[in-house]
Amino acid sequence: MQENYMVGIYARLNRDDERAGESVSIENQKEMLSRYVREQGWTLYDYYCDDGVSGTTFDRPGLNRLVQDATDRKINLVLCKDLSRLGRDYIEAGKYTDFVFPSLGCRFIALNDGVDTLRKNNEMLVILKNVMNDLYARDTSSKIKAVKQSTFKSGKYVGCYAPLGYRKSAEDKHILEIDPVTAPVVRRIFDLRLQGYGFRKIALQLNAEKVPSPRSFYYMAEGRENLRGETPYWNDVTVKTILRNEVYLGHMVRNKTGTVSYKNHKQVSKPESEWIRVEHTHEPLISQETWDAVQRMDNHPARGRSGKSGTIALFGGLLRCMDCGSSMRYLRDYRTRKSGESEYRAYACNRYMSGGKNACSSHYINQKVLVQVVLTDIRCKALWAQNSRESLREQLLAREHTASMEKTRTLQAELNAIGKRLPELDRLIQAAYEDKVLGRIPESVCINLLNQYEAERREKQERSRELTEQLAASRENEQSVDAWLDMMQDYAQLEELDRPTLVRLIQKIEISERYTVDGHEERDIHIYYNFVGYTEE
């Protein structure tokens, strides 16, 4: 007598299957399988469908519900079109057909493949089918990856949403064009960063000004509501992502993330060596100079602290005491002076302000005086760059060469030593394995030696990368000098000093204590410029 089966029909479709046409559609699968259930005289309990889900993952809503109903004994037969509908990972698919369903007392049939777990003579067929489905998934993944790589290398934009500040061209969705509505927001973010604002403070400022978030701008452009419940507010992560996105330079940098494998779809970051970078694919939103200045801000001392008014002092974070090396504290005095001045701004050694004269001396300097000194120095350097560019260039390069020669020799010597030690470590690791296999040393000693060798090898490899980067940086002196000369010659007529200009041009300013020469008070002020450091005329 035939058993009365309660059947659960399982159907699955992903985007790759859609290319095959109507034959694998969800509706087609349901119609074919339900007809087979009627012909066999069984009872259809329910349909379990996963639409648009990859077969390499087994965490699917429809499949999970089917297994739960089988566990609850609501169904005792699972029916699907073929084994590839169940999944394309041969290990996981085999686990379901060989263990999960049988342990639940549930029969499994893959109709088109002739697979039926009630019959024990087709086990090899099931294994072969699962392996073939797995290989198909691997091959499909490789082809999709190759297409994406080709698209990235051509410089085309691929993404659901255009980056803030841009929109997709109406003629070609793979080309970006500047969006006049959102571009000013991006430029303002870069400007605030140049003024010394941190990522979080920029986000707070934008929220205070009620500037819509990137996703809010997207829904506004689409003319529909945000039904997904995404936050309409800015945060530090969003700001940081924008400030580090080379798309605003007009470049396309892709392939920065990917999946672990064709079976594990978890997104992971890729090493920079695998990134695909194509320059000048669209119109830039900001200049190279602005980009470089903003990137320097990550390690720039001029972050500064905002006062009660929420603003950062003009020289905040830039000044250093020449004697003790501590930062200079910003001072404000609102008492009206004889000159009629109602607000007096100055700076003093922070260590002195905190610990008194036993810690350091005041190094007190008026902001107006400092502004005039710095303005004069910038103008002089700019005129020097304009009128005597080649002689100044040679002088700077000679100084940099002399300063870096010894450092370069030291770095190269250490790198050479590491280059010799790494092959030695490889030989030692191999010898330890061989000694263990041949019984020359106990397993515990072998493990201890291997741990030591591996730890040293990782340390040497990391140090080798650091040294290589430092050597590469030392070889970029010529480019740095040229960049500084190009930047400086634009400031010969500078009339007013503002914070963005200071941060763009200057790394730090050292202030000495006042001293007396021939009855006159003098002091030293050393201005260190970005790219070239301290430069005497």
Side-chain angles (χ1 to χ4, degrees):
M1 182 177 179
Q2 181 176 333
E3 183 177 348
N4 183 26
Y5 284 107
M6 298 296 292
V7 182
I9 289 179
Y10 181 72
R12 183 187 64 81
L13 182 74
N14 67 8
R15 292 186 179 87
D16 296 324
D17 296 321
E18 289 172 359
R19 300 188 184 97
E22 183 64 24
S23 62
V24 292
S25 70
I26 292 289
E27 290 304 317
N28 181 273
Q29 292 176 55
K30 288 164 65 175
E31 180 183 350
M32 181 184 70
L33 296 174
S34 59
R35 183 169 61 248
Y36 182 75
V37 169
R38 290 194 300 270
E39 291 172 354
Q40 299 301 315
W42 298 333
T43 302
L44 175 60
Y45 179 79
D46 202 356
Y47 296 102
Y48 304 84
C49 304
D50 286 309
D51 198 355
V53 183
S54 171
T56 56
T57 177
F58 280 75
D59 185 13
R60 314 174 207 144
L63 183 61
N64 291 339
R65 188 168 67 88
L66 179 140
V67 173
Q68 186 59 54
D69 283 354
T71 303
D72 296 339
R73 308 298 178 182
K74 295 178 181 178
I75 59 175
N76 57 5
L77 191 154
V78 174
L79 180 64
C80 63
K81 178 175 176 284
D82 52 51
L83 276 170
S84 68
R85 298 307 96 201
L86 178 63
R88 295 191 184 276
D89 182 331
Y90 76 93
I91 294 176
E92 286 293 320
K95 184 178 76 172
Y96 275 84
T97 58
D98 296 342
F99 175 74
V100 175
F101 293 141
S103 67
L104 297 174
C106 201
R107 182 180 175 185
F108 174 79
I109 296 176
L111 192 59
N112 284 1
D113 289 336
V115 172
D116 187 344
T117 55
L118 193 63
R119 305 188 184 96
K120 298 299 182 181
N121 60 350
N122 60 0
E123 292 176 347
M124 185 57 68
L125 174 63
V126 174
I127 294 172
L128 289 173
K129 282 284 186 180
N130 283 334
V131 171
M132 292 301 295
N133 287 328
D134 190 293
L135 291 174
Y136 174 81
R138 183 197 298 265
D139 182 59
T140 301
S141 175
S142 298
K143 289 177 179 177
I144 292 174
K145 187 178 295 184
V147 171
K148 284 185 176 180
Q149 297 269 325
S150 176
T151 305
F152 293 159
K153 289 176 181 177
S154 68
K156 294 180 179 179
Y157 180 76
V158 180
C160 297
Y161 317 106
L164 185 72
Y166 288 100
R167 63 189 178 193
K168 295 181 181 180
S169 170
E171 289 75 23
D172 187 345
K173 65 179 181 179
H174 296 300
I175 296 177
L176 296 177
E177 58 185 26
I178 293 178
D179 181 358
V181 176
T182 59
V185 177
V186 174
R187 293 192 180 103
R188 176 155 169 72
I189 289 172
F190 276 85
D191 182 59
L192 289 172
R193 182 61 174 157
L194 281 177
Q195 294 179 44
Y197 282 58
F199 304 127
R200 183 172 180 273
K201 189 176 179 184
I202 293 174
L204 293 175
Q205 182 70 25
L206 295 173
N207 288 331
E209 296 173 2
K210 300 188 183 305
V211 176
S213 68
R215 192 51 58 87
S216 297
F217 272 120
Y218 168 76
Y219 285 112
M220 289 165 57
E222 291 285 307
R224 56 191 178 94
E225 294 184 30
N226 178 3
L227 301 177
R228 297 174 62 181
E230 291 137 328
T231 176
Y233 302 107
W234 288 86
N235 58 57
D236 56 342
V237 175
T238 304
V239 171
K240 184 177 180 180
T241 301
I242 288 174
L243 289 170
R244 293 184 176 177
N245 194 345
E246 288 188 69
V247 74
Y248 299 114
L249 272 177
H251 309 327
M252 204 71 76
V253 183
R254 309 311 300 266
N255 206 47
K256 298 174 76 172
T257 61
T259 56
V260 176
S261 71
Y262 71 100
K263 293 182 181 180
N264 187 340
H265 297 161
K266 178 184 177 182
Q267 288 286 318
V268 293
S269 297
K270 292 187 176 183
E272 191 169 347
S273 59
E274 295 183 20
W275 294 0
I276 297 174
R277 188 172 187 271
V278 184
E279 297 186 352
H280 311 303
T281 58
H282 53 278
E283 186 179 354
L285 254 180
I286 60 165
S287 66
Q288 183 70 51
E289 180 189 351
T290 299
W291 171 267
D292 292 338
V294 165
Q295 303 318 304
R296 287 196 300 271
M297 288 296 295
D298 288 342
N299 299 310
H300 202 288
R303 295 184 182 182
R305 293 184 179 181
S306 56
K308 294 180 180 179
S309 64
T311 58
I312 299 173
L314 180 62
F315 290 95
L318 277 170
L319 304 183
R320 292 288 181 272
C321 171
M322 191 177 291
D323 295 311
C324 72
S326 70
S327 61
M328 304 278 284
R329 184 181 298 185
Y330 179 50
L331 307 174
R332 300 176 74 180
D333 188 347
Y334 293 97
R335 291 176 295 179
T336 303
R337 286 172 163 70
K338 293 180 181 179
S339 62
E341 192 174 19
S342 60
E343 184 178 1
Y344 192 78
R345 306 180 186 189
Y347 300 86
C349 173
N350 197 42
R351 186 171 292 180
Y352 168 81
M353 296 297 293
S354 301
K357 62 182 180 181
N358 291 325
C360 195
S361 56
S362 70
H363 293 69
Y364 186 91
I365 186 168
N366 186 331
Q367 180 169 287
K368 280 189 175 181
V369 173
L370 187 57
V371 165
Q372 289 305 313
V373 170
V374 174
L375 261 177
T376 301
D377 194 77
I378 290 174
R379 290 170 186 157
C380 289
K381 295 291 192 303
L383 288 171
W384 196 10
Q386 282 183 353
N387 302 326
S388 307
R389 180 185 176 98
E390 286 307 313
S391 62
L392 177 57
R393 183 175 184 272
E394 290 177 9
Q395 180 180 329
L396 290 171
L397 286 175
R399 187 198 66 182
E400 292 292 329
H401 180 69
T402 302
S404 64
M405 272 182 62
E406 186 60 35
K407 180 182 177 182
T408 300
R409 279 198 295 266
T410 304
L411 292 175
Q412 190 62 57
E414 186 179 355
L415 188 61
N416 292 340
I418 291 175
K420 294 178 181 178
R421 179 59 176 166
L422 286 173
E424 291 177 5
L425 288 171
D426 291 335
R427 286 193 294 271
L428 289 170
I429 290 171
Q430 183 177 354
Y433 275 119
E434 291 175 353
D435 288 344
K436 164 64 178 63
V437 172
L438 296 173
R440 294 172 182 165
I441 59 174
E443 183 176 353
S444 58
V445 175
C446 176
I447 292 173
N448 186 41
L449 286 172
L450 290 175
N451 287 338
Q452 291 179 29
Y453 295 151
E454 285 291 350
E456 185 182 353
R457 182 163 65 175
R458 286 194 298 270
E459 180 185 342
K460 296 294 185 188
Q461 288 173 337
E462 179 60 32
R463 180 59 179 159
S464 177
R465 282 192 289 270
E466 292 175 0
L467 290 170
T468 302
E469 290 175 2
Q470 290 178 31
L471 282 169
S474 69
R475 296 185 186 108
E476 292 175 358
N477 287 335
E478 189 170 340
Q479 295 179 2
S480 297
V481 169
D482 286 333
W484 183 75
L485 291 168
D486 291 338
M487 179 175 64
M488 286 303 300
Q489 61 186 8
D490 295 331
Y491 291 92
Q493 306 300 322
L494 184 64
E495 295 294 334
E496 186 177 351
L497 203 58
D498 56 27
R499 185 163 178 82
T501 301
L502 276 173
V503 173
R504 186 176 296 117
L505 298 181
I506 295 172
Q507 181 187 13
K508 66 178 179 178
I509 302 172
E510 290 182 343
I511 309 293
S512 80
E513 185 56 275
R514 286 170 289 189
Y515 55 89
T516 304
V517 177
D518 297 332
H520 298 285
E521 281 194 342
E522 296 184 7
R523 78 186 326 152
D524 297 323
I525 298 177
H526 290 178
I527 301 174
Y528 291 78
Y529 286 90
N530 291 321
F531 297 116
V532 296
Y534 177 58
T535 306
E536 291 185 281
E537 291 192 52

